[in-house]
Amino acid sequence: MAEDAVLGYLAQNGDLADSRKFANEHGFEHDEVVNVIKSLNGFQYVVATEYEEKNWVLTDEGKEYAAEGSPEFRLFSAVPTEGVSLKELEAKVGPTVFKNGRTNAMKNKWLVMGKELVTRKVEHVEDRVKDLLTKIQKTESVDQVGIDELKKRKLIAEQKLKGYSVVKGINFAPKRRKAVTSLTRENLQRGDWKDLEFKEYNFAAKGLPSEGGYLHPLLKVRDRLTTIFRMMGFEEMPTNNYVESSFWNFDALFQPQQHPARDSHDTFFLQTPSTTKFLPEDYVERVKQVHEVGGYGSRGYAYDWKREEANKNLLRTHTTAVSSRMLYQLAQKPFAPKKYFSIDRVFRNEAVDRTHLAEFHQIEGLICDSGLTLGDLIGVLKDFFSRLGMSKLRFKPAYNPYTEPSMEIFSYHEGFKKWVEIGNSGMFRPEMLLPMGLPDDVRVIAWGLSLERPTMILYGIDNIRDLFGHKTDLTLIKKNSICRIGLQ
């Protein structure tokens, strides 16, 4: 046993100078001896001092040269006194030896390479490279010039070895006494407690780390965004209803019933309860009217609007469904300007890949006031995104059923060195606002973006499934850093 061997050696010799040499001489694995030394050191049976030494070992190519000779020597040896043709010499030693040995043989002025014939320039040579490699194998000393030469040809590599030198400690004994951790009734009855060695208490030792809750990166970014919205004077909308009717999710937004987004391939419809029973009938009638024949300066969509389609329940596809409810409630009171925002989950029937999930989060902001223009929207967007650290913005015209004009928002990504789409925006159409009962001069500017995209950029995550869902690594949750957007 390694422990008995170490203690016995120290009892006879007083110290153990080299743990590696000791392991080799006594037939132990060095790791086993190191573990014993560390354990004995912990109980102060010994005092161990770690050392590190460096030596050189042969690479695979170096081992080949040490066994068979260097390429230049083998090439020289293959050339007869009368000389040999290049082609015959290459066939004789092989293309690798010929290629590697040719340069060094000429550099050493051993051979003369003619156009057709190779001849010896000297009669005898010594294989210095093989001699140097053999010395290193035998752990003999080699001068620095030789080391540099072999390093340059990548024939040797530096190896770092760690070991321990050991001397007796204050508790040294030729045999370790097993320390007990508790005093039992039997020890007291037998009286052997006087001879027991008790394990010392380590009052400086740390206890097990307590497990507690950790904030998900999405929650940290969400909290920071919420702070930014509130600093800008926005009020948070209630978003606790994941189930919404098609009416508030689509129809109230002036989105036609034949729109592709309302298909089951894009939307999750509920089976139970499949329909809603609570809609404001007078408002429903005005929405039906504007869809079918228009009004408020619009021609509508000229189709037969169906109440049963509007009644269908679904998992909301965007938080704009909440915005439509809030604006309708605002219209039922004497008008007062409002700033609303929301950050919550939405659901879409999409194929899951590294950038898409069927369940994700949407950030939405809107301002409702008299006389707002597209210029106001651009100004608010620049203010909002500058607080996120995005000062370089571009806007591109786009189409949305419920906003006109509409714009896509792009920001220049310094890491990707290109413009990246970060959100969508626009002004709600009169066909959406006026049926609610809002005053004619009231305009609503709004924008939205996902929560996942900025979070992935901030935390260097390139697969959304690593951020949100059942494949998320809990280590990411425990070790993610604080969200610093808006603090620079």
Side-chain angles (χ1 to χ4, degrees), residues 146-298:
I147 293 292
D148 292 340
E149 180 183 344
L150 297 178
K151 277 174 59 181
K152 185 176 181 181
R153 295 180 67 170
K154 298 181 179 179
L155 301 178
I156 59 174
E158 190 178 59
Q159 182 183 60
K160 294 181 180 179
L161 297 175
K162 291 184 177 181
Y164 288 88
S165 61
V166 184
V167 296
K168 295 178 181 179
I170 58 175
N171 293 332
F172 179 80
K175 189 78 174 176
R176 189 206 291 243
R177 297 175 64 187
K178 187 176 180 180
V180 297
T181 57
S182 60
L183 182 65
T184 65
R185 177 183 177 184
E186 288 75 16
N187 297 141
L188 295 172
Q189 289 175 337
R190 290 193 301 263
D192 59 3
W193 61 271
K194 300 176 182 178
D195 301 320
L196 292 178
E197 181 179 335
F198 291 94
K199 185 176 181 180
E200 292 185 4
Y201 283 101
N202 182 3
F203 293 102
K206 295 181 179 180
L208 291 173
S210 59
E211 288 291 331
Y214 297 88
L215 288 177
H216 192 283
L218 283 172
L219 292 178
K220 292 186 177 181
V221 177
R222 173 177 175 164
D223 182 65
R224 187 60 200 156
L225 286 165
T226 299
T227 301
I228 290 173
F229 271 117
R230 286 177 174 156
M231 287 169 62
M232 295 176 66
F234 282 74
E235 174 186 341
E236 188 167 9
M237 296 184 283
T239 54
N240 54 319
N241 291 331
Y242 291 164
V243 175
E244 192 55 89
S245 68
S246 293
F247 177 80
W248 292 109
N249 197 84
F250 294 123
D251 296 275
L253 302 178
F254 195 57
Q255 190 160 331
Q257 293 183 339
Q258 66 271 27
H259 194 279
R262 302 181 68 154
D263 189 85
S264 60
H265 292 296
D266 294 305
T267 302
F268 292 109
F269 288 95
L270 267 66
Q271 292 183 348
T272 305
S274 60
T275 59
T276 185
K277 297 179 181 179
F278 306 102
L279 292 175
E281 294 300 329
D282 56 338
Y283 177 45
V284 170
E285 187 59 34
R286 293 195 295 273
V287 170
K288 175 178 184 293
Q289 183 76 11
V290 76
H291 275 251
E292 289 185 341
V293 299
Y296 316 104
S298 171

Side-chain angles (χ1 to χ4, degrees), residues 25-39:
E25 291 176 351
H26 292 78
F28 296 114
E29 292 290 333
H30 185 247
D31 287 344
E32 183 183 1
V33 173
V34 167
N35 288 337
V36 167
I37 290 173
K38 287 182 177 179
S39 176

Side-chain angles (χ1 to χ4, degrees), residues 448-484:
L449 63 152
S450 77
L451 179 62
E452 282 74 9
R453 177 168 290 185
T455 304
M456 290 171 69
I457 292 173
L458 283 166
Y459 288 96
I461 300 170
D462 62 358
N463 191 328
I464 194 172
R465 291 169 290 192
D466 295 335
L467 176 68
F468 187 59
H470 66 283
K471 292 186 177 181
T472 301
D473 183 2
L474 292 179
T475 305
L476 168 70
I477 312 303
K478 292 181 179 180
K479 295 186 177 181
N480 64 81
S481 57
I482 189 173
C483 172
R484 300 188 61 82

